[in-house]
Amino acid sequence: FWADFRAVGQAVLAAARAAQDHAGLGWTHAIIGWDSIFTGNHDEDRAHLRQAPDHPRQAGDLQGQACAHLFATRPAGVDGDLDPAVWHSEQALALLRPAGHWAMERWAVVGLGECLAHQGDYDLARGHARQALELGPEPGDPLSLARAWSVLGLVHSRVGEHSRAISCYRQALALTRQRNGPQARLWLADLLTNFGDACRTAGDLPAAVQCWQTSRQVLRDLRSPHNQGGRLGVSPA
């Protein structure tokens, strides 16, 4: 319900402005910016995401500030310009580690690992993905764990370790399918696209085509106005 999501977001934003609630403004700008990425309003998503970190900073909300940085990694991944995504991930980590927010820290660590993998720094990317799998006193959110396995799959695929890559992607798919909300379905579509790329690299074109077709069908079922045929890019939340 993309239009309903946007209408509610604008109503919350107006209420937060009227109340001069900086914490509320920060979270709402971040969430509206996140929605805009999926609906294709890229200029709007940047406008909201640029404003998002300053409000929680004024409110003294470290978790909100870190989350705003995590959201801001997404448009960079869609554009393919990963340096800003690396910077935002590092800023989020600097805020989260002293506060002990290990669940959000996992997202920042794995996001940084994903950026590094796409930049070709495979050793560092592998290290961040493994750190994300080990982070925190509990197993954690299956989507963040799935993303860590996906980063490992990407690294193994890029260095020619195809059987390991496929094994990692299967781990990621199993974890992703534990959730069925819209965000999980969007992540599933992106994961299937990447898995298909790995299958093609491994020489299994029929498996690759099946992954890509399933990804397209997931996006069609979600009725996203923007992502009817392409990958979602790098990176939370």
Side-chain angles (χ1 to χ4, degrees):
F1 300 96
W2 302 103
D4 294 336
F5 183 96
R6 175 160 299 278
V8 172
Q10 293 296 335
V12 175
L13 193 63
R17 282 173 177 155
Q20 296 184 337
D21 177 358
H22 285 289
L25 282 167
W27 283 101
T28 309
H29 276 302
I31 292 169
I32 293 176
W34 182 256
D35 169 72
S36 299
I37 295 162
F38 295 126
T39 55
N41 299 316
H42 295 310
D43 290 339
E44 184 174 353
D45 72 49
R46 281 157 184 75
H48 283 290
L49 291 171
R50 276 195 300 270
Q51 297 177 68
D54 187 55
H55 291 291
R57 187 183 301 115
Q58 294 184 56
D61 179 4
L62 294 180
Q63 185 176 0
Q65 193 178 339
C67 190
H69 282 297
L70 289 178
F71 278 114
T73 63
R74 194 69 180 196
V78 171
D79 288 346
D81 182 7
L82 296 175
D83 287 339
V86 169
W87 183 83
H88 282 294
S89 296
E90 290 173 341
Q91 295 301 304
L93 278 173
L95 291 163
L96 292 167
R97 279 178 171 155
H101 292 300
W102 63 266
M104 288 181 65
E105 184 181 339
R106 188 196 308 275
W107 277 106
V109 169
V110 76
L112 183 55
E114 190 171 6
C115 291
L116 292 168
H118 283 286
Q119 289 181 325
D121 197 337
Y122 301 132
D123 288 338
L124 271 179
R126 186 186 291 110
H128 279 83
R130 288 174 176 167
Q131 181 185 347
L133 290 171
E134 297 168 357
L135 188 64
E138 300 176 23
D141 173 40
L143 294 184
S144 62
L145 296 173
R147 195 169 169 204
W149 281 110
S150 177
V151 172
L152 288 175
L154 175 61
V155 169
H156 286 306
S157 180
R158 292 282 179 88
V159 301
E161 298 170 349
H162 301 305
S163 62
R164 288 186 177 184
I166 289 169
S167 177
C168 289
Y169 277 118
R170 285 175 176 163
Q171 290 269 19
L173 284 170
L175 286 161
T176 302
R177 285 172 172 147
Q178 292 180 21
R179 293 287 186 270
N180 199 36
Q183 181 179 323
R185 299 295 290 171
L186 285 164
W187 169 236
L188 175 63
D190 199 32
L191 178 58
L192 284 164
T193 300
N194 294 331
F195 190 15
D197 293 347
C199 290
R200 177 181 59 183
T201 301
D204 191 347
L205 188 57
V209 170
Q210 184 177 7
C211 287
W212 295 330
Q213 288 177 337
T214 306
S215 175
R216 286 175 63 87
Q217 188 58 54
V218 170
L219 292 171
R220 286 173 179 148
D221 292 344
L222 282 167
R223 293 180 294 177
S224 166
H226 178 56
N227 291 299
Q228 291 299 315
R231 68 186 65 236
L232 298 173
V234 177
S235 173

